[in-house]
């Protein structure tokens, strides 16, 4: 959950979205930098912290609403996130539940008809969202 590992993804998505939820371990770095919040022994990314304000400035410039939880994702944060998801026309989820796990969850909770695509591409999917050209796609596109 290092912010610096997700910077290119977040930076690229800020040009494409209206709203973004940043949760999990990444949220603690944002909360500490932006709100000077005490986060105890929660995850904190020293390197990533250096660019949080730049990301927030880009979000503001682009009119992107950034949703962060309180110190923990309690009822208020859950409602705010649910509201953001309710406004969404498309959801890109990058988190601890991988593509295969997400597909299994869709089957288990009978929501397969509500999901148009689940990628199990891992790092390649992230690189695509970061705006990088994927070698395989490039080769097929050039053929």
């Amino acid at each position: 959950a290092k912010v610096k590992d997700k910077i290119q993804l977040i930076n690229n998505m800020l040009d494409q979205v209206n709203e973004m939820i940043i949760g999990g371990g990444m949220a603690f770095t944002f909360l500490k930098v932006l709100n000077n919040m005490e986060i105890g022994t929660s995850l904190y990314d020293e390197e990533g912290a250096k660019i949080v304000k730049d990301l927030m400035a880009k979000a503001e410039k682009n009119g992107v609403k950034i949703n962060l939880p309180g110190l923990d994702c309690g009822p208020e944060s859950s409602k705010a996130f649910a509201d953001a998801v309710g406004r969404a026309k498309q959801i890109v989820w990058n988190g601890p539940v991988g593509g295969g796990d997400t597909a299994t969850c869709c089957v288990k909770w009978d929501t397969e008809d509500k999901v148009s695509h689940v990628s199990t591409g891992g790092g390649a999917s992230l690189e695509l969202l970061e705006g990088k050209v994927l070698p395989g796609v490039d080769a097929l596109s050039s053929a």
Side-chain angles (χ1 to χ4, degrees):
K2 291 189 176 187
V3 175
K4 68 177 184 152
D5 294 342
K6 306 287 184 181
I7 294 308
Q8 200 167 348
L9 170 66
I10 293 170
N11 192 42
N12 190 51
M13 296 304 290
L14 287 174
D15 290 325
Q16 302 176 46
V17 302
N18 298 323
E19 196 161 0
M20 184 181 290
I21 298 170
I22 299 175
M26 286 183 51
F28 294 117
T29 300
F30 277 79
L31 291 168
K32 182 170 180 165
V33 170
L34 299 173
N35 303 337
N36 200 28
M37 184 179 280
E38 290 294 324
I39 61 169
T41 58
S42 296
L43 292 175
Y44 179 72
D45 178 8
E46 194 90 34
E47 280 298 305
K50 295 174 184 173
I51 42 81
V52 164
K53 289 185 179 176
D54 291 338
L55 291 172
M56 295 303 289
K58 182 174 181 177
E60 184 176 344
K61 177 180 156 261
N62 290 357
V64 176
K65 180 178 180 183
I66 301 292
N67 295 282
L68 293 163
L71 187 55
D72 193 4
C73 195
E76 289 180 30
S77 295
S78 294
K79 181 179 180 338
F81 290 178
D83 290 347
V85 168
R87 289 187 293 273
K89 292 182 183 156
Q90 180 175 346
I91 298 169
V92 177
W93 171 274
N94 175 251
V97 179
D101 295 334
T102 301
T104 301
C105 288
C106 289
V107 171
K108 182 176 180 178
W109 284 291
D110 195 29
T111 57
E112 291 170 288
D113 62 326
K114 305 213 181 324
V115 177
S116 62
H117 177 74
V118 175
S119 169
T120 57
S125 297
L126 290 178
E127 287 187 12
L128 182 65
L129 291 172
E130 288 172 0
K132 294 179 181 174
V133 175
L134 303 180
V137 173
D138 187 43
L140 291 172
S141 298
S142 300

